[in-house]
Amino acid sequence: MVFALSLSMVAQTIIHRDHEIEQMISEVSKDSLQSYVKKLVSFGTRNTLSTQSDPKKGIGAARNWVLNRFVEFAKQSGGRLTAFIDTTTLKPDGQRVDVPLLLGNVVATLKGIDPNDNRILIISGHLDNMRSNVMDRTGDAPGANDDGSGVAAVMECARVMSKHSFPATIIFVAVSGEEQGLLGADYMAEKAKKENWNIVAVLNNDIMGSNNSNETNIINNTKIRVFSEGISVLDTGKNATTLRNLGLENDGKARQLARYCKEVGERYVDNLEVVMIYRNDRFLRGGDHLPYVLRGFAAVRFCEMNENYYHQHQDVRVEDGIQYGDLPGFMDFEYLRKNTCLNLCNLANLAKSPATPQEVRVDTKRLTNFTNLSWEVSKSAKVKGYYVLMRETTSAVWQKKFFTDDTKMNLPYSKDNYFFAVQSVSETDNESLPVIPVPSGK
Ligand SMILES: [Zn+2]
């Protein structure tokens, strides 16, 4: 029995899916994503410097259209989803802004239903785009994949998720000014910092709907990259020394979020591997997660596995038999559907999870081959229990997960040889982000 033999050789993985999240994932539609992208392309250009007064062309018409879609989705939300264009006025900066500019991010907020839960999750894509010359504000710039893909994912998540309610708040944002220097994300991240928003995760989506590379001609729609930095630029002085001593350079906020996105994403989305890249972003490029990262928030970027530079930041033209330009025909909408589901399941799992456990500690008072962990209960009311996570120091992902309804655990594995963390778990098995224990040696 060859079949029985091959099955017995496969390591067992128990996949437990929350039915509500499964249901939402099944509603994410390839056709709906395709229709958003085609509509976005129809605005001719969405360059941030383009017209704001033409009803059919330019960034102004595009952002009004996105706003109207959000307002439509809001009707099914029982008043919990609200949307507006958050504007700011910028002066010419001598770089990529050469006129006084009214910059506008289209923001939809799905208010959380737990008044004691002030956590905020952000999903972001950029509405603006560019031709070969970033200052060219009149010529056609389709921007189907960069970043029609990200905006379509944001809109589809808003459409599906606004029918559901979550303890935490989710913000869906179509950002402007990315190509002019991350201006819209910088504006929003600065506002969040000033107003002390409790942002626990920013999922930035930029170029995630096409499945092939130029030059090397790789075609693959089963892998997506998540970019994250290790140690934060804010980790300096004594804090940096502690991280170095404990070997935690791979457990910063963004990296932890990336690891979480991989685990939850692969749990819910079939035929998709989430590939962690231990970098903030690609060479020569940046994205809208960076202004959040710089201010100490956990922010990552989702980006397709193989990029095709013939279709990014290029005037639409044929040269030496090669078609240049960011056209919808080069996209893979089934791939975009899976990548949208990756966002949705992570937003939903985090928004449904309890707040993290408090005061997570590892006892380092004496030399022992055990690991003794303790923590205080999560501030959320509905906690079923906690997962203690464990991995070898060289492993990229958590390898063992122990459940307890207690607030302590003593494990026969040496704290010197493994990394540990603790998550709160809800009644429907949604885990919080992991918390790394602090040594309590004195
Ligand atoms: Zn982009």
Side-chain angles (χ1 to χ4, degrees):
M1 292 289 287
V2 175
F3 181 63
L5 181 68
S6 64
L7 265 187
S8 71
M9 289 166 72
V10 176
Q12 262 196 336
T13 314
I14 299 169
I15 296 186
H16 184 99
R17 291 173 172 168
D18 172 339
H19 294 310
E20 187 185 12
I21 298 180
E22 268 192 319
Q23 165 65 32
M24 283 187 281
I25 285 204
S26 71
E27 284 179 42
V28 172
S29 152
K30 182 166 98 170
D31 294 343
S32 156
L33 290 161
Q34 185 166 14
S35 75
Y36 300 151
V37 169
K38 287 201 165 156
K39 183 67 189 180
L40 289 168
V41 171
S42 78
F43 295 106
T45 175
R46 306 188 304 279
N47 183 292
T48 302
L49 306 171
S50 64
T51 174
Q52 297 189 19
S53 54
D54 188 312
K56 289 196 174 139
K57 297 283 169 195
I59 187 75
R63 68 191 188 202
N64 285 335
W65 176 76
V66 175
L67 177 68
N68 288 336
R69 292 289 78 68
F70 282 153
V71 168
E72 215 169 80
F73 305 153
K75 289 178 194 158
Q76 54 188 6
S77 74
R80 284 170 300 108
L81 188 78
T82 53
F84 76 119
I85 299 177
D86 189 3
T87 55
T88 183
T89 310
L90 300 177
K91 293 183 189 128
D93 61 7
Q95 296 174 44
R96 293 180 167 197
V97 177
D98 58 1
V99 288
L101 178 67
L102 185 70
L103 187 85
N105 296 329
V106 194
V107 181
T109 304
L110 184 64
K111 188 95 184 84
I113 53 166
D114 180 352
N116 298 316
D117 191 339
N118 69 353
R119 288 175 305 161
I120 293 173
L121 312 169
I122 295 179
I123 173 173
S124 152
H126 71 85
L127 185 60
D128 66 298
N129 65 9
M130 64 181 277
R131 284 165 59 87
S132 300
N133 175 0
V134 71
M135 304 308 283
D136 182 345
R137 66 211 69 188
T138 52
D140 266 355
N145 196 32
D146 185 11
D147 185 28
S149 63
V151 173
V154 168
M155 292 173 69
E156 186 66 350
C157 285
R159 182 182 75 82
V160 173
M161 298 183 83
S162 54
K163 290 180 263 180
H164 295 251
S165 55
F166 304 91
T169 292
I170 304 170
I171 298 180
F172 307 86
V173 56
V175 181
S176 284
E178 198 270 353
E179 305 290 8
Q180 308 315 115
L182 313 181
L183 304 177
D186 195 65
Y187 165 66
M188 191 158 166
E190 183 58 21
K191 185 180 195 176
K193 192 185 161 210
K194 274 196 189 133
E195 297 177 1
N196 275 322
W197 296 8
N198 183 18
I199 298 175
V200 296
V202 178
L203 307 183
N204 178 36
N205 292 274
D206 199 348
I207 311 181
M208 32 81 87
S210 173
N211 65 23
N212 62 84
S213 63
N214 59 309
E215 301 147 327
T216 51
N217 299 320
I218 297 168
I219 304 174
N220 186 320
N221 76 355
T222 65
K223 289 182 181 187
I224 181 163
R225 293 176 292 178
V226 54
F227 284 85
S228 67
E229 72 167 9
I231 293 179
S232 162
V233 287
L234 303 181
D235 286 326
T236 54
K238 202 179 156 197
N239 204 10
T241 306
T242 305
L243 293 176
R244 206 157 50 231
N245 287 343
L246 300 178
L248 293 177
E249 58 271 13
N250 200 12
D251 283 80
K253 276 185 189 176
R255 185 65 44 78
Q256 209 63 264
L257 174 60
R259 191 175 283 127
Y260 182 98
C261 288
K262 177 177 173 63
E263 185 186 338
V264 174
E266 292 177 3
R267 182 188 309 165
Y268 283 98
V269 190
D270 290 313
N271 299 313
L272 187 69
E273 182 188 344
V274 182
V275 179
M276 287 195 286
I277 306 289
Y278 288 180
R279 285 204 164 107
N280 221 342
D281 213 318
R282 300 108 72 231
F283 283 100
L284 303 174
R285 308 298 277 273
D288 282 337
H289 55 307
L290 301 180
Y292 294 92
V293 164
L294 285 173
R295 289 167 176 85
F297 296 115
V300 297
R301 174 191 189 139
F302 292 128
C303 190
E304 62 201 26
M305 195 68 202
N306 305 292
E307 292 181 73
N308 194 317
Y309 300 107
Y310 296 156
H311 306 149
Q312 293 178 17
H313 303 183
Q314 295 281 359
D315 293 352
V316 178
R317 67 192 190 280
V318 177
E319 217 173 86
D320 298 331
I322 295 169
Q323 174 72 62
Y324 290 84
D326 190 355
L327 300 163
F330 295 122
M331 291 180 67
D332 174 344
F333 290 99
E334 167 58 11
Y335 181 52
L336 179 55
R337 182 195 67 78
K338 288 194 280 185
N339 295 339
T340 304
C341 293
L342 164 66
N343 280 268
L344 189 149
C345 67
N346 274 289
L347 290 173
N349 205 56
L350 271 175
K352 289 186 79 175
S353 75
T356 51
Q358 305 293 301
E359 306 291 326
V360 181
R361 295 187 187 283
V362 55
D363 185 353
T364 53
K365 283 195 277 293
R366 61 200 174 87
L367 297 173
T368 162
N369 285 299
F370 276 76
T371 296
N372 197 351
L373 298 158
S374 64
W375 56 92
E376 309 270 310
V377 292
S378 158
K379 279 182 186 157
S380 301
K382 289 174 189 159
V383 177
K384 181 168 85 175
Y386 302 88
Y387 285 134
V388 170
L389 304 173
M390 175 176 143
R391 70 176 205 273
E392 289 170 271
T393 60
T394 52
S395 174
V397 292
W398 297 109
Q399 295 167 307
K400 284 197 181 199
K401 196 183 256 197
F402 304 91
F403 178 79
T404 179
D405 53 10
D406 204 347
T407 55
K408 60 180 189 306
M409 192 175 272
N410 198 22
L411 290 158
Y413 298 98
S414 169
K415 58 193 167 297
D416 299 324
N417 301 346
Y418 298 93
F419 288 128
F420 292 91
V422 185
Q423 297 175 298
S424 308
V425 189
S426 72
E427 295 289 349
T428 41
D429 279 327
N430 314 102
E431 316 90 328
S432 71
L433 284 164
V435 180
I436 300 287
V438 174
S440 61
K442 292 155 215 149

